[in-house]
Amino acid sequence: MKPRIPSIGKAIQMALQLDLFSDFLVPDKLRPAPVKTPLASPLKETVQQDELRPAAPPPSTFVNTSNKRRILIQDYLLEYDLQRSKRRSIGFLINEDGLRITAPRWVTIADIETAIQEKQAWILRKLTERRERTQRKLEPKMHWQDGAKLPYLGGEITLRIAPASVSGTHFQSEQSELIINLPADAGEQQLKDRVQAWLQQEAKRIFNERLPVFAEKLNVRYQSMALSAAATRWGSCTSQGKIRLNWRLIHFSPMIIDYVIAHELAHLREMNHSPRFWATVQSVFPDFEVARQNLRQHASADLPVF
């Protein structure tokens, strides 16, 4: 018996439970041609009131033990873990063990390996990114001292500590140096607090400058903007026009900041992730896919710990 295929309406309803920035929700006209074999998004996240939030791991549906297999792609011998499941499509996941593929029992090995070949660019890129993240974890973490480097607007600024009887903060843009005046007996946490306060102040300033620009382009009105310190979401928007933006976006490039702002404001016209929503985002931010992918490559673990 052929597997029952969900209706388009049900698929769209399920899609609305995914991440703000989910690939599944981007209309075909705005992304590369889809793979012929139905693929499940490797990284899914749950939306509640339009908030970016990683989903909890789904209940296990595996029906047998894993099976290590190998396939040659681009002169690279790729090993993957094949697991048969009750799902109706082929799923790809890159984790600390490498590539894991889940597929229904009725999908042949030939079909699975065809899907791997069609998905090879994504697979190799994600494997490279994971290796790089692993390498970064092995590197020494930031030391809060004079001369330390701090990510700011996609680049780096140098932290300079100047002893002074009165506290003060000054940014020298030409030298890309953030000067923190602190008493001689100040501790590391005081330094962190001062740097964080400055970054949040900068984030608020830049967000308030860029929000009106995209609100005018979209012909929408937002009620308020507040900084967020959420660990798992970059932004949110309510139907009442309340915008929340993560202050940690200040570490990223202006392109990424503009994308998140455009994304949230677009929800004031389309409070969903339909093709019309993504077309709305593209109308004011044509390169949204590039910014979106860049944002996904950033891990919160790579950012300074305050």
Side-chain angles (χ1 to χ4, degrees):
M1 178 182 294
K2 293 184 179 179
R4 183 180 178 183
I5 299 176
S7 66
I8 296 298
K10 186 174 181 180
I12 294 299
Q13 183 179 5
M14 294 173 63
L16 292 180
Q17 299 176 19
L18 302 183
D19 158 34
L20 285 177
F21 310 148
S22 172
D23 286 322
F24 186 87
L25 298 174
V26 184
D28 292 339
K29 293 181 179 180
L30 305 184
R31 64 177 176 181
V35 177
K36 294 179 181 178
T37 304
L39 303 177
S41 175
L43 302 175
K44 296 184 179 179
E45 294 157 333
T46 302
V47 172
Q48 295 181 359
Q49 295 181 346
D50 189 38
E51 294 176 343
L52 177 61
R53 183 196 303 272
S60 176
T61 58
F62 300 135
V63 295
N64 67 346
T65 57
S66 62
N67 178 23
K68 294 289 186 181
R69 303 187 64 87
R70 293 181 178 180
I71 182 174
L72 187 66
I73 57 173
Q74 295 187 15
D75 297 325
Y76 176 77
L77 188 60
L78 174 68
E79 183 178 87
Y80 64 95
D81 181 10
L82 174 62
Q83 296 180 326
R84 296 293 186 173
S85 74
K86 297 178 181 179
R87 62 183 299 150
R88 296 181 177 180
S89 58
I90 300 175
F92 293 82
L93 174 67
I94 305 294
N95 58 25
E96 61 275 7
D97 298 320
L99 172 63
R100 188 180 75 189
I101 296 178
T102 56
R105 290 177 173 178
W106 52 268
V107 175
T108 67
I109 295 297
D111 287 338
I112 291 171
E113 296 196 344
T114 296
I116 293 174
Q117 294 289 352
E118 294 174 336
K119 195 78 171 176
Q120 62 178 279
W122 180 87
I123 292 171
L124 295 178
R125 184 176 76 251
K126 290 299 180 181
L127 287 173
T128 299
E129 290 172 4
R130 176 162 285 278
R131 284 196 298 269
E132 291 174 350
R133 285 198 298 270
T134 301
Q135 181 60 38
R136 286 198 297 271
K137 289 180 181 179
L138 299 177
E139 296 174 354
K141 294 185 177 180
M142 174 180 172
H143 297 289
W144 290 89
Q145 60 189 19
D146 185 76
K149 301 294 184 181
L150 194 71
Y152 173 71
L153 293 180
E156 283 188 335
I157 59 176
T158 302
L159 188 61
R160 294 299 181 191
I161 303 173
S165 57
V166 180
S167 297
T169 304
H170 177 64
F171 180 60
Q172 293 183 336
S173 57
E174 292 184 0
Q175 292 81 14
S176 295
E177 292 183 343
L178 180 63
I179 301 172
I180 305 292
N181 296 109
L182 287 173
D185 59 348
E188 181 180 284
Q189 191 57 51
Q190 289 177 271
L191 174 61
K192 290 182 178 181
D193 291 344
R194 293 287 303 285
V195 173
Q196 180 175 336
W198 182 81
L199 288 172
Q200 290 177 337
Q201 177 183 324
E202 284 293 286
K204 188 174 184 179
R205 177 182 65 82
I206 292 173
F207 297 165
N208 281 326
E209 287 178 355
R210 302 304 293 164
L211 274 163
V213 173
F214 285 96
E216 182 178 358
K217 290 181 178 181
L218 289 165
N219 194 27
V220 297
R221 286 188 177 184
Y222 61 96
Q223 181 178 329
S224 62
M225 189 284 293
L227 295 183
S228 163
T232 58
R233 64 185 80 120
W234 296 119
S236 65
C237 173
T238 69
S239 57
Q240 291 77 31
K242 295 180 180 180
I243 306 290
R244 291 179 63 83
L245 298 170
N246 196 312
W247 71 266
R248 295 285 237 164
L249 288 168
I250 196 65
H251 294 304
F252 305 147
S253 68
M255 176 184 66
I256 290 178
I257 294 173
D258 279 354
Y259 163 64
V260 176
I261 288 174
H263 183 115
E264 299 307 333
L265 288 173
H267 280 301
L268 295 179
R269 286 177 52 180
E270 296 289 337
M271 190 59 73
N272 51 53
H273 291 100
S274 66
R276 289 179 61 181
F277 167 78
W278 290 109
T280 301
V281 175
Q282 188 183 47
S283 69
V284 295
F285 200 93
D287 295 330
F288 81 94
E289 274 284 15
V290 176
R292 182 166 167 268
Q293 291 301 323
N294 287 342
L295 179 61
R296 284 189 162 186
Q297 291 171 9
H298 289 289
S300 58
D302 298 333
L303 301 178
V305 177
F306 291 90

